[in-house]
Amino acid sequence: MPSLRTLVKDTAIYGLSSIVARFINYLLVPIQTARFAASGGEYGVITNVYAYVSILIILLTFGMETTFFRFMNREGEDPRRIYGTTLRMLATTSLFSIAVVLLLLQPIASAVGYADHPEFVGVMYVTVAIDAFTAIPFAYLRYQHKPLKFAALKIFNILLNITLNVLYLIVLPALQWDPLGIYDDAFTLDVAFVFYINLLCTVATLLMLWKELRGLRFGFDAAACRRMLSYTWPLLIMGVVGQLNQAASQILFPYLYDGTAAEARTQLGIYGACIKIAMIMVMITQAFRFAYEPFVFGKSKEKDNRETYAKAMKFYVIFTLLAFLAVMAYLSLLKHIIGRSYWEGLRVVPIVMAAEMMFGVFFNLSFWYKLTDRTIWGAVFSAAGAVVLIAIDVLFIPRFSYMACAWAGFAAYGVSMLLSYAIGQHYYPIRYPLRDIGLYTAVAAALFLVMTQTAALPLWAQLACNTLLVALFLALIVHRDLPLRSLPVIGKYFAH
């Protein structure tokens, strides 16, 4: 059976690989925001298109990642048949949807505002359909506890992506060399090639999963398929509605902004670039999720599981608060990740990071309804959050622009989190250490408020003061919950 030690080890591997991958991927942000100025609106197009992509990936996987882990660990199910059935389901739906979208490409492109550029829609849909299919081989790697191969393939994808972006956006224009005829006479950059590059990287990753794809030979079990679909449909609703909490603002923004279409793309591009800095919280939550899903379902039969879940929640909150403070402390340096023309939107970073942390708590809370097969509740909570988000967007985007998007996400995740906790305590009560969580949250909030006052200081003094504040929070963690003597390798030097 997996243990908390296994969770920590796998989270460390997923986390390190996510940090490396995200760091490499972040290099796309300064490259693209430098080459596509905010005023041009190209980065707004990228932000808008990827918002649609994030919804489509949920629709095309229809909650099968979580369902896959549930059925692979369920008594009476044959893991090989479950894997083969899941692969065949997603292969069928992905291929069928690609055919439909390509057949109706022009009307679909017109409906989402890209009538003059249907290639944006076509290329990105094919990409996301392939990504949806490969989600199951990647989930199989997690099931087999192969985080190293999982991480290597993810990093390969991003390295290839950034290499091709550098060639297209920097190297070839600098050399005035166009062997493939992809530029015009003035070497003008076309945002469509960013999407073509993404497609190429996705296909390359698919080919490198060829060993895992041999699971297709395990066959298809129609009865298992029906059982899985019965379990997963609420997860699909929850996933789509939940992702709306992240993507709806970027999708709705061009329709709600009180200005021209060009101005809307510019403002959306500023927002999209600045929230990239806040994505460190997404990275931490994602790393935790990759390890936590197989851990929870594998440990669900043990008697001490609820105490373990409570401890996992506590340490998740502690370390995400630490990450929040670290980003806020060095935001004066981190802002150079994006182009200077986007800096006016940096005020959204703390709001979006706090929202993402609440989403992580909501994810941790979600296992009560997954383990009790009450997945419909996840859809209810996510739907409630989405209603809040859309209402705030509709009411306040015309007046407050992208600041409304940031606060809408914050409110939506807060509502979903609180509802899940309140109802979960009735069906699957867990004694979370609320007093400790509240203490750490209050201290982090106080330190953040102090950091906002250091912004007027010279850069060196600001960084020194903020470093001291982060160190104080770290000292509190060590004093209360993570004594140095408990650390591996170096702990023996603090034993006395």
Side-chain angles (χ1 to χ4, degrees), residues 29-50:
V29 180
I31 291 169
Q32 291 176 351
T33 55
R35 297 295 289 168
F36 298 128
S39 59
E42 291 91 347
Y43 202 76
V45 172
I46 293 174
T47 299
N48 183 244
V49 169
Y50 278 106

CSV table of all heavy atoms in Angstrom, one decimal, residues 29-50:
chain,number,residue,atom,x,y,z
A,29,VAL,N,7.1,32.9,-22.4
A,29,VAL,CA,6.4,34.1,-22.1
A,29,VAL,C,7.2,35.4,-22.4
A,29,VAL,O,6.8,36.3,-23.1
A,29,VAL,CB,6.0,34.1,-20.6
A,29,VAL,CG1,5.3,35.4,-20.3
A,29,VAL,CG2,5.1,32.9,-20.3
A,30,PRO,N,8.5,35.5,-21.9
A,30,PRO,CA,9.3,36.7,-22.3
A,30,PRO,C,9.6,36.7,-23.8
A,30,PRO,O,9.6,37.8,-24.4
A,30,PRO,CB,10.6,36.5,-21.5
A,30,PRO,CG,10.7,35.1,-21.2
A,30,PRO,CD,9.3,34.6,-21.0
A,31,ILE,N,9.7,35.5,-24.5
A,31,ILE,CA,10.0,35.5,-25.9
A,31,ILE,C,8.7,36.0,-26.7
A,31,ILE,O,8.8,36.9,-27.5
A,31,ILE,CB,10.3,34.1,-26.4
A,31,ILE,CG1,11.7,33.7,-25.8
A,31,ILE,CG2,10.3,34.0,-27.9
A,31,ILE,CD1,12.0,32.2,-26.0
A,32,GLN,N,7.6,35.5,-26.3
A,32,GLN,CA,6.4,35.9,-27.0
A,32,GLN,C,5.9,37.3,-26.7
A,32,GLN,O,5.4,38.0,-27.6
A,32,GLN,CB,5.3,34.8,-26.8
A,32,GLN,CG,5.5,33.5,-27.4
A,32,GLN,CD,4.5,32.4,-27.0
A,32,GLN,OE1,3.6,32.7,-26.2
A,32,GLN,NE2,4.6,31.3,-27.7
A,33,THR,N,6.0,37.7,-25.4
A,33,THR,CA,5.6,39.0,-25.0
A,33,THR,C,6.5,40.1,-25.5
A,33,THR,O,6.1,41.3,-25.6
A,33,THR,CB,5.4,39.1,-23.5
A,33,THR,OG1,6.6,38.8,-22.8
A,33,THR,CG2,4.2,38.3,-23.1
A,34,ALA,N,7.8,39.7,-25.8
A,34,ALA,CA,8.7,40.7,-26.3
A,34,ALA,C,8.5,40.8,-27.8
A,34,ALA,O,8.6,41.9,-28.4
A,34,ALA,CB,10.2,40.2,-26.0
A,35,ARG,N,8.2,39.7,-28.5
A,35,ARG,CA,8.1,39.7,-29.9
A,35,ARG,C,6.7,40.2,-30.4
A,35,ARG,O,6.5,40.8,-31.4
A,35,ARG,CB,8.4,38.4,-30.5
A,35,ARG,CG,9.8,37.9,-30.3
A,35,ARG,CD,10.8,38.8,-31.1
A,35,ARG,NE,10.7,38.5,-32.5
A,35,ARG,CZ,11.3,39.3,-33.4
A,35,ARG,NH1,12.0,40.4,-33.0
A,35,ARG,NH2,11.2,39.1,-34.7
A,36,PHE,N,5.7,39.9,-29.5
A,36,PHE,CA,4.3,40.4,-29.8
A,36,PHE,C,4.0,41.4,-28.7
A,36,PHE,O,3.6,41.1,-27.6
A,36,PHE,CB,3.3,39.2,-29.6
A,36,PHE,CG,3.5,38.1,-30.6
A,36,PHE,CD1,3.6,36.8,-30.2
A,36,PHE,CD2,3.6,38.4,-32.0
A,36,PHE,CE1,3.8,35.8,-31.1
A,36,PHE,CE2,3.8,37.3,-32.9
A,36,PHE,CZ,3.9,36.0,-32.5
A,37,ALA,N,4.1,42.7,-29.1
A,37,ALA,CA,3.9,43.8,-28.1
A,37,ALA,C,2.4,43.8,-27.7
A,37,ALA,O,1.5,43.4,-28.4
A,37,ALA,CB,4.2,45.1,-28.7
A,38,ALA,N,2.2,44.3,-26.5
A,38,ALA,CA,0.8,44.3,-25.9
A,38,ALA,C,-0.2,45.0,-26.8
A,38,ALA,O,-1.3,44.6,-27.0
A,38,ALA,CB,0.8,44.9,-24.5
A,39,SER,N,0.3,46.1,-27.4
A,39,SER,CA,-0.6,46.9,-28.2
A,39,SER,C,-1.0,46.2,-29.5
A,39,SER,O,-2.1,46.6,-30.1
A,39,SER,CB,0.1,48.2,-28.6
A,39,SER,OG,1.3,48.0,-29.3
A,40,GLY,N,-0.3,45.2,-29.9
A,40,GLY,CA,-0.6,44.5,-31.2
A,40,GLY,C,-1.8,43.5,-31.0
A,40,GLY,O,-2.5,43.2,-31.9
A,41,GLY,N,-2.0,43.0,-29.7
A,41,GLY,CA,-3.1,42.1,-29.5
A,41,GLY,C,-2.8,40.7,-29.8
A,41,GLY,O,-3.7,39.8,-29.5
A,42,GLU,N,-1.6,40.3,-30.3
A,42,GLU,CA,-1.4,38.9,-30.7
A,42,GLU,C,-1.4,38.0,-29.4
A,42,GLU,O,-1.9,36.9,-29.5
A,42,GLU,CB,0.0,38.8,-31.4
A,42,GLU,CG,0.0,39.4,-32.8
A,42,GLU,CD,0.5,40.8,-32.7
A,42,GLU,OE1,0.6,41.4,-31.6
A,42,GLU,OE2,0.9,41.4,-33.8
A,43,TYR,N,-0.8,38.5,-28.3
A,43,TYR,CA,-0.8,37.7,-27.1
A,43,TYR,C,-2.2,37.6,-26.6
A,43,TYR,O,-2.6,36.6,-25.9
A,43,TYR,CB,0.1,38.3,-26.1
A,43,TYR,CG,0.6,37.2,-25.1
A,43,TYR,CD1,1.5,36.3,-25.4
A,43,TYR,CD2,0.0,37.1,-23.8
A,43,TYR,CE1,1.9,35.3,-24.6
A,43,TYR,CE2,0.4,36.1,-22.9
A,43,TYR,CZ,1.3,35.2,-23.3
A,43,TYR,OH,1.7,34.2,-22.4
A,44,GLY,N,-3.1,38.5,-26.8
A,44,GLY,CA,-4.5,38.4,-26.5
A,44,GLY,C,-5.2,37.3,-27.3
A,44,GLY,O,-6.0,36.5,-26.7
A,45,VAL,N,-4.8,37.1,-28.5
A,45,VAL,CA,-5.3,36.0,-29.3
A,45,VAL,C,-4.8,34.7,-28.7
A,45,VAL,O,-5.6,33.7,-28.6
A,45,VAL,CB,-4.8,36.1,-30.8
A,45,VAL,CG1,-5.2,34.8,-31.6
A,45,VAL,CG2,-5.4,37.3,-31.5
A,46,ILE,N,-3.5,34.6,-28.4
A,46,ILE,CA,-3.0,33.4,-27.8
A,46,ILE,C,-3.8,33.0,-26.5
A,46,ILE,O,-4.2,31.9,-26.2
A,46,ILE,CB,-1.5,33.5,-27.5
A,46,ILE,CG1,-0.7,33.6,-28.9
A,46,ILE,CG2,-1.0,32.3,-26.7
A,46,ILE,CD1,0.7,33.9,-28.7
A,47,THR,N,-4.0,34.1,-25.6
A,47,THR,CA,-4.7,33.9,-24.4
A,47,THR,C,-6.1,33.4,-24.6
A,47,THR,O,-6.6,32.4,-24.0
A,47,THR,CB,-4.7,35.2,-23.6
A,47,THR,OG1,-3.4,35.6,-23.3
A,47,THR,CG2,-5.5,35.0,-22.3
A,48,ASN,N,-6.8,34.0,-25.6
A,48,ASN,CA,-8.2,33.6,-25.9
A,48,ASN,C,-8.3,32.2,-26.4
A,48,ASN,O,-9.1,31.4,-26.0
A,48,ASN,CB,-8.8,34.6,-26.8
A,48,ASN,CG,-10.2,34.4,-27.2
A,48,ASN,OD1,-10.6,34.1,-28.3
A,48,ASN,ND2,-11.1,34.5,-26.1
A,49,VAL,N,-7.4,31.8,-27.4
A,49,VAL,CA,-7.5,30.5,-28.0
A,49,VAL,C,-7.1,29.4,-26.9
A,49,VAL,O,-7.8,28.4,-26.9
A,49,VAL,CB,-6.5,30.4,-29.2
A,49,VAL,CG1,-6.3,29.0,-29.6
A,49,VAL,CG2,-7.0,31.3,-30.3
A,50,TYR,N,-6.1,29.7,-26.1
A,50,TYR,CA,-5.8,28.6,-25.1
A,50,TYR,C,-6.9,28.5,-24.0
A,50,TYR,O,-7.0,27.5,-23.4
A,50,TYR,CB,-4.4,28.9,-24.5
A,50,TYR,CG,-3.3,28.4,-25.4
A,50,TYR,CD1,-2.5,29.3,-26.1
A,50,TYR,CD2,-3.0,27.1,-25.5
A,50,TYR,CE1,-1.5,28.9,-26.9
A,50,TYR,CE2,-2.0,26.6,-26.3
A,50,TYR,CZ,-1.2,27.5,-27.0
A,50,TYR,OH,-0.2,27.1,-27.8
